[in-house]
Amino acid sequence: MAVPMLRTSMMLSPTSARGMATLKDIEMRLKSVKNIRKITSSMKMVSAAKFSRAERALKPARVYGAGAVSLYEKNDFAEGSDRLIIAISSDRGLCGGVHTNIGRNIKATQLSDRAVSKAIIVGDKAKAILIKTMGDTFLATFNNCGKKPSSFSDALNIAEEVLTHDYDSASIVFSKFKNVVSYNTTAYPVPSLAVIEANDAIYAYDEVDNEVLRCYQEFTLANLVHASLKEQEASEQSARMNAMENATRNAGEMIDKLTLLYNRTRQAVITRELIEIISGANALE
């Protein structure tokens, strides 16, 4: 009786195929992490250059803002119930908790007895954080922020929008720059013209009339907004620089671990194949 011939095929064993697939996956992931490290390293250098410019621009702007704040803080102005909040952020992320802290600060204010009834939002990041809980209080929003350094004209546009609305007191919430690694979420007080006129202490400086007070209030509001924008830019760029530095370092650590895992897996696959070859040769003998 003739025995039918058996057809044989050259196929990898399941163990070898699994090892090759694992090697391919590790290699693809290693390549991906290396590309991410290149991107984060480049973003860190770009943020460092932008931070240097933002820090230089902050120094003159901070002087004008500090002058206006000192006057408002040294005099007790009535707050009233009609409160306006101005949130300063930008359209760009990847900068740690800069925007999140601003949103958290404003939400905490809403839960207190000093809840705001109106809001003007600068930047899409703050808008996205607050729109669910405070969307009905938005009077105006500004976008295209953070792509290029802000100017005094941008501050004037925001100040003009604020002056078109009635309010008793206002606050400008932003990230105040301290140093390269830290910042504080701060609020500048901005009393309305009616509140300033009702304060008798303001007339102790000089004999002023309503027109002088109106011009002064408009000018100080623009200075405060401009200083807040510059503080926010310096804080954001320093936070982004630190975030990209941390991301680059983490990517480097991941690359080292993946490289070690790749070499170990490759060595195991080679050893396994050598054992199979030797075992097959011995079986033929």
Side-chain angles (χ1 to χ4, degrees):
M1 180 178 179
V3 179
M5 296 180 62
L6 296 178
R7 182 182 179 185
T8 60
S9 60
M10 299 297 294
M11 297 180 62
L12 291 173
S13 66
T15 305
S16 299
R18 185 168 61 251
M20 295 299 293
T22 305
L23 273 178
K24 189 67 175 177
D25 294 340
I26 297 174
E27 187 177 5
M28 291 177 62
R29 189 177 179 189
L30 187 60
K31 183 178 180 181
S32 176
V33 176
K34 286 181 178 180
N35 291 335
I36 291 174
R37 184 174 65 173
K38 291 179 182 178
I39 295 173
T40 55
S41 179
S42 300
M43 291 183 67
K44 174 192 171 183
M45 292 187 290
V46 172
S47 296
K50 290 184 177 181
F51 167 71
S52 299
R53 292 196 297 266
E55 189 178 22
R56 288 195 300 268
L58 171 62
K59 293 180 181 179
R62 177 178 280 179
V63 175
Y64 288 96
V69 170
S70 62
L71 175 64
Y72 291 150
E73 288 182 344
K74 290 178 182 178
N75 292 277
D76 294 328
F77 293 100
E79 288 195 357
S81 58
D82 190 9
R83 299 187 65 247
L84 169 68
I85 201 159
I86 306 163
I88 305 294
S89 68
S90 73
D91 297 350
R92 303 185 63 197
L94 298 177
C95 53
V98 173
H99 306 308
T100 306
N101 291 337
I102 293 174
R104 187 180 295 117
N105 181 281
I106 295 175
K107 288 179 180 179
T109 303
Q110 280 295 90
L111 296 175
S112 66
D113 56 352
R114 301 173 62 250
V116 300
S117 56
K118 300 173 182 177
I120 293 177
I121 309 299
V122 179
D124 288 340
K125 289 298 180 180
K127 178 182 176 182
I129 295 171
L130 300 173
I131 193 169
K132 289 184 178 180
T133 56
M134 297 178 56
D136 55 339
T137 65
F138 287 4
L139 298 177
T141 59
F142 293 84
N143 54 9
N144 292 328
C145 307
K147 296 181 180 179
K148 60 180 181 179
S150 62
S151 62
F152 194 73
S153 298
D154 298 327
L156 285 177
N157 293 333
I158 299 172
E160 288 176 357
E161 179 63 33
V162 174
L163 293 172
T164 58
H165 303 284
D166 296 328
Y167 62 92
D168 294 332
S169 61
S171 298
I172 304 176
V173 182
F174 63 98
S175 298
K176 186 176 179 64
F177 176 76
K178 291 181 64 178
N179 51 52
V180 180
V181 295
S182 64
Y183 57 87
N184 286 333
T185 303
T186 310
Y188 278 164
V190 184
S192 64
L193 179 60
V195 173
I196 296 175
E197 291 175 348
N199 193 320
D200 296 333
I202 201 69
Y203 298 99
Y205 293 93
D206 198 358
E207 295 181 0
V208 294
D209 54 15
N210 293 340
E211 183 65 21
V212 173
L213 285 179
R214 184 183 65 80
C215 294
Y216 177 76
Q217 194 257 352
E218 293 176 357
F219 180 67
T220 53
L221 176 59
N223 284 335
L224 286 174
V225 173
H226 182 57
S228 302
L229 289 172
K230 292 302 181 182
E231 294 274 7
Q232 179 69 25
E233 287 176 3
S235 301
E236 181 180 333
Q237 295 300 340
S238 64
R240 183 174 292 112
M241 182 176 62
N242 292 326
M244 293 301 102
E245 182 179 1
N246 293 333
T248 303
R249 183 173 60 253
N250 293 337
E253 294 175 357
M254 187 176 292
I255 288 171
D256 293 339
K257 293 179 180 178
L258 288 174
T259 302
L260 182 60
L261 178 61
Y262 177 82
N263 291 335
R264 286 179 175 176
T265 306
R266 181 171 175 270
Q267 186 64 40
V269 171
I270 294 173
T271 304
R272 189 184 306 118
E273 291 178 352
L274 287 174
I275 292 174
E276 291 176 355
I277 292 172
I278 295 171
S279 300
N282 293 334
L284 291 177
E285 294 177 356

